Amino acid sequence: MDIIKVKNLTKSYAGQRALNNLSLNIKKGDFFGLLGPNGAGKTTFVRCLLDILPFEHGSIFIEEVPHKKPQSRAALAYLPEKFSFYPNYSVYQTLHFFAGTKIENKKEIPLQIEKSLEKMGILDLSSKKIKHLSKGQLQRVGLAQMLVGRPHILILDEPFSGLDPLLIKEMKDLLKELKNEGKTIIVNSHILSEVEIICDSLAIIDKGKLLAHKRMNELDISLEDFFCQTIENQRGTK
Amino acid sequence: MKAKIHFLLIKNTLYKEYRNKTLLLLFLFTLLILWLDQTFFDFIFNQFFKAQNLNLIQYKLDLFYYIISSWNILISALLGVSCVKSDRDEGVLEGLLSLPISRLSYVLSRIFGTWLIVIGYYVLSLLLAITVFSFDGLQGQFLGWPILSSLLMSSLPILIVITLSVFFSLHFSRVWALITTLFLTGIISHANETFSGRFLDQIAHIDGPYKAIIALIHSLIPHSGTFNTLSKELFGNHELTKSLTLELFHFSGSYTLLIFAVMITFRQKGP
């Protein structure tokens, strides 16, 4: 079953096409990798998906709900490339804010916050202010805020970018765990080695165009080779 | 759930600003002005006008009203400029917009939260004034209907200025947005003063580009100047010189138009 359906998505910035008639579907429970070189349109795609950016043509449905409706984001959690929150908020207050928007039962909020803080290994940072956190700690808070409210669609924009190897490993382990829980995970990345092992399906885009959309088991060469071939073929034909 | 998210965003707007140093500084300045208003007038009165039969209390009240209303406009513009822009500058906006809340709800929650802060500041200034003017035995004048109705009326220009500053903050830097908002607020007051009470057919026969622009501003933008005048009249317990029903009717239409313009810009600009 397709949980996300994108049809003929077209978005331009000042006359320049950032997404060009892009259509793709993402299956429920899949770990989906959206791959492409820098400036390919990956972040624009995610922002359109979340209705953060408007687009000219096309349609997006999340669990059969048009993306423009707020309820399409009710079961969804998002981690931007650089997670940030108000500097004067503590880690706990930050998570409490996000939890408040997703969890109806008030009593459940502290329990879920504690659980996700524990999972990310930042329980001791709970009273620390956002402005006093390192980049790695901030990214962990970003991941923790994703986990509250038990969303079943997770979208991560360049989650491995700028992280130390230890945190990359932790992030991959966490994503595997979430995948095993049956969550649909969408990862935007240009770091192929990090997504190769965990992806179920992938799409390659360049200059806003969808160049390939495959399941991992359909690939008979390494992801890196497939990626390079696809991009080179596209650029060579121009 | 939707109402809960609104409440959370409004609470978040209040929490964001509670340590705002500019606000604290302006509050201290208000204290100083009130104290000066109290002592300076007494001094001038005792030195020069004791023999004349002047209404010193009325002068004090007028000055107090002028200071507080000007301050409120300045604070509304200052806070309005940063209420949405700070989310964008701090990289928070993207995360907030990924939540199950409509863009209109987000913008309105921010505007309403900022409006509550300015109203809170206004009430605090009034409480301070009650304390300061109590030495003149004036507290009775502050606790009655005139001041409450004036406060209600003042809340409209505050809302208008906040919304205008949100609109300009989506286009310009904070400083330019502040300057533009204050400049336009001045122009609106001038336009309201010039065309207040005139009907559309009279406004349509205006000659000269300057007057035409002023007439256009008067027709399309909510009448913050007129509401300020009405508020002053209520404060002084005078008879209203403008039709409140007509003004509220114009406000509902023109404010919807303003919010529409804000939303179009907000959606176009992105995070």
Side-chain angles (χ1 to χ4, degrees):
Chain A
M1 184 207 160
D2 293 326
I3 201 162
I4 292 173
K5 293 175 188 170
V6 179
K7 206 175 171 192
N8 304 328
L9 188 62
T10 302
K11 161 83 189 161
S12 306
Y13 290 113
Q16 193 107 24
R17 284 271 162 95
L19 294 174
N20 195 352
N21 214 24
L22 199 143
S23 298
L24 58 87
N25 293 346
I26 299 168
K27 285 199 184 326
K28 192 177 181 181
D30 251 13
F31 192 115
F32 175 81
L34 183 65
L35 313 174
N38 286 330
K42 303 185 295 290
T43 301
T44 303
F45 174 78
V46 166
R47 286 179 174 176
C48 288
L49 198 74
L50 296 166
D51 194 30
I52 292 171
L53 280 179
F55 50 85
E56 293 99 77
H57 302 293
S59 63
I60 301 173
F61 285 87
I62 302 170
E63 294 187 292
E64 305 297 335
V65 180
H67 85 299
K68 273 201 181 284
K69 291 196 171 174
Q71 59 264 42
S72 71
R73 297 183 291 277
L76 189 149
Y78 172 55
L79 180 68
E81 186 176 354
K82 283 175 193 156
F83 175 77
S84 177
F85 209 65
Y86 304 104
N88 281 329
Y89 268 64
S90 71
V91 170
Y92 188 87
Q93 284 170 323
T94 303
L95 262 62
H96 198 276
F97 174 80
F98 282 95
T101 63
K102 295 169 185 173
I103 305 166
E104 292 221 37
N105 185 356
K106 255 188 172 180
K107 284 179 191 163
E108 216 189 306
I109 292 177
L111 298 172
Q112 279 207 37
I113 292 175
E114 205 181 315
K115 221 173 163 181
S116 63
L117 284 172
E118 212 172 347
K119 198 164 194 168
M120 292 318 304
I122 49 170
L123 199 58
D124 56 324
L125 297 180
S126 117
S127 57
K128 215 169 174 182
K129 296 235 187 271
I130 291 289
K131 63 182 169 193
H132 296 135
L133 298 180
S134 69
K135 198 190 168 192
Q137 288 171 331
L138 199 59
Q139 203 66 2
R140 281 173 202 265
V141 176
L143 281 166
Q145 66 81 22
M146 277 191 99
L147 301 179
V148 291
R150 297 194 191 96
H152 52 264
I153 305 172
L154 304 172
I155 301 177
L156 298 94
D157 189 13
E158 300 284 3
F160 308 109
S161 141
L163 298 186
D164 62 66
L166 201 71
L167 194 54
I168 288 180
K169 163 121 190 19
E170 274 182 46
M171 173 89 82
K172 281 204 292 195
D173 289 344
L174 176 77
L175 292 176
K176 273 184 209 166
E177 201 183 315
L178 293 168
K179 181 188 160 185
N180 292 336
E181 285 173 19
K183 297 190 192 299
T184 308
I185 302 168
I186 299 162
V187 169
N188 250 3
S189 187
H190 64 276
I191 308 173
L192 305 176
S193 56
E194 308 303 349
V195 287
E196 187 166 19
I197 325 152
I198 31 178
C199 263
D200 295 310
S201 63
L202 65 99
I204 297 174
I205 61 168
D206 189 26
K207 291 172 185 162
K209 266 190 163 179
L210 180 71
L211 305 183
H213 186 194
K214 279 185 180 291
R215 298 207 63 80
M216 278 302 279
N217 55 19
E218 289 170 1
L219 294 186
D220 42 18
I221 48 174
S222 73
L223 177 61
E224 195 181 340
D225 287 341
F226 178 69
F227 179 82
C228 292
Q229 267 180 24
T230 313
I231 300 285
E232 278 161 14
N233 283 345
Q234 162 72 11
R235 290 185 179 176
T237 53
K238 279 201 166 178
Chain B
M1 196 65 186
K2 203 177 163 189
K4 197 184 161 194
I5 299 178
H6 276 277
F7 173 72
L8 273 171
L9 274 172
I10 290 167
K11 202 172 124 187
N12 168 254
T13 314
L14 301 178
Y15 191 82
K16 243 178 22 149
E17 301 291 353
Y18 93 107
R19 285 183 182 190
N20 190 317
K21 289 182 183 72
T22 318
L23 207 63
L24 196 74
L25 204 75
L26 281 170
F27 187 69
L28 291 174
F29 202 67
T30 309
L31 253 171
L32 182 77
I33 293 283
L34 277 170
W35 177 75
L36 279 175
D37 185 18
Q38 179 72 3
T39 51
F40 179 72
F41 261 85
D42 280 347
F43 173 76
I44 298 282
F45 182 77
N46 287 329
Q47 289 290 315
F48 306 107
F49 302 106
K50 208 168 183 179
Q52 298 169 33
N53 195 18
L54 283 175
N55 189 354
L56 177 71
I57 291 168
Q58 195 54 50
Y59 278 111
K60 278 185 181 180
L61 278 177
D62 283 351
L63 182 65
F64 163 74
Y65 179 82
Y66 178 76
I67 292 164
I68 295 295
S69 54
S70 311
W71 249 220
N72 281 335
I73 295 297
L74 183 66
I75 292 166
S76 305
L78 268 172
L79 296 182
V81 155
S82 68
C83 78
V84 171
K85 201 174 184 70
S86 65
D87 284 351
R88 182 177 279 163
D89 293 349
E90 284 167 23
V92 180
L93 190 59
E94 210 176 336
L96 292 180
L97 295 183
S98 71
L99 297 170
I101 183 164
S102 73
R103 279 61 193 126
L104 179 67
S105 302
Y106 162 76
V107 171
L108 290 181
S109 301
R110 283 286 182 252
I111 290 174
F112 185 64
T114 309
W115 178 79
L116 280 180
I117 295 172
V118 183
I119 294 294
Y121 182 85
Y122 196 161
V123 171
L124 211 62
S125 305
L126 284 176
L127 290 174
L128 258 173
I130 290 169
T131 316
V132 173
F133 285 113
S134 65
F135 299 114
D136 283 339
L138 259 175
Q139 62 268 57
Q141 294 210 32
F142 286 101
L143 295 171
W145 169 245
I147 194 70
L148 279 174
S149 54
S150 168
L151 174 72
L152 277 174
M153 196 57 71
S154 287
S155 69
L156 292 179
I158 288 169
L159 188 67
I160 295 163
V161 173
I162 292 169
T163 315
L164 281 173
S165 54
V166 168
F167 178 75
F168 288 120
S169 74
L170 295 170
H171 288 278
F172 310 126
S173 70
R174 283 183 207 217
V175 176
W176 277 111
L178 182 70
I179 292 168
T180 317
T181 306
L182 294 176
F183 179 71
L184 185 63
T185 307
I187 299 275
I188 294 169
S189 294
H190 170 61
N192 295 163
E193 225 167 86
T194 313
F195 292 108
S196 190
R198 288 215 212 172
F199 292 103
L200 275 177
D201 59 326
Q202 288 173 291
I203 292 175
H205 291 97
I206 282 157
D207 51 338
Y210 172 73
K211 279 213 164 177
I213 292 168
I214 298 289
L216 199 70
I217 288 173
H218 179 72
S219 311
L220 296 177
I221 302 179
H223 295 168
S224 56
T226 308
F227 286 120
N228 264 330
T229 309
L230 288 169
S231 169
K232 196 179 175 185
E233 286 166 358
L234 287 165
F235 185 81
N237 218 357
H238 302 303
E239 207 170 302
L240 298 183
T241 54
K242 320 268 187 280
S243 161
L244 189 57
T245 319
L246 269 179
E247 286 304 329
L248 288 175
F249 181 72
H250 179 271
F251 172 78
S252 57
S254 54
Y255 190 73
T256 308
L257 201 70
L258 181 60
I259 286 290
F260 187 66
V262 170
M263 288 318 297
I264 287 180
T265 316
F266 181 72
R267 280 201 66 85
Q268 276 176 350
K269 297 279 172 182

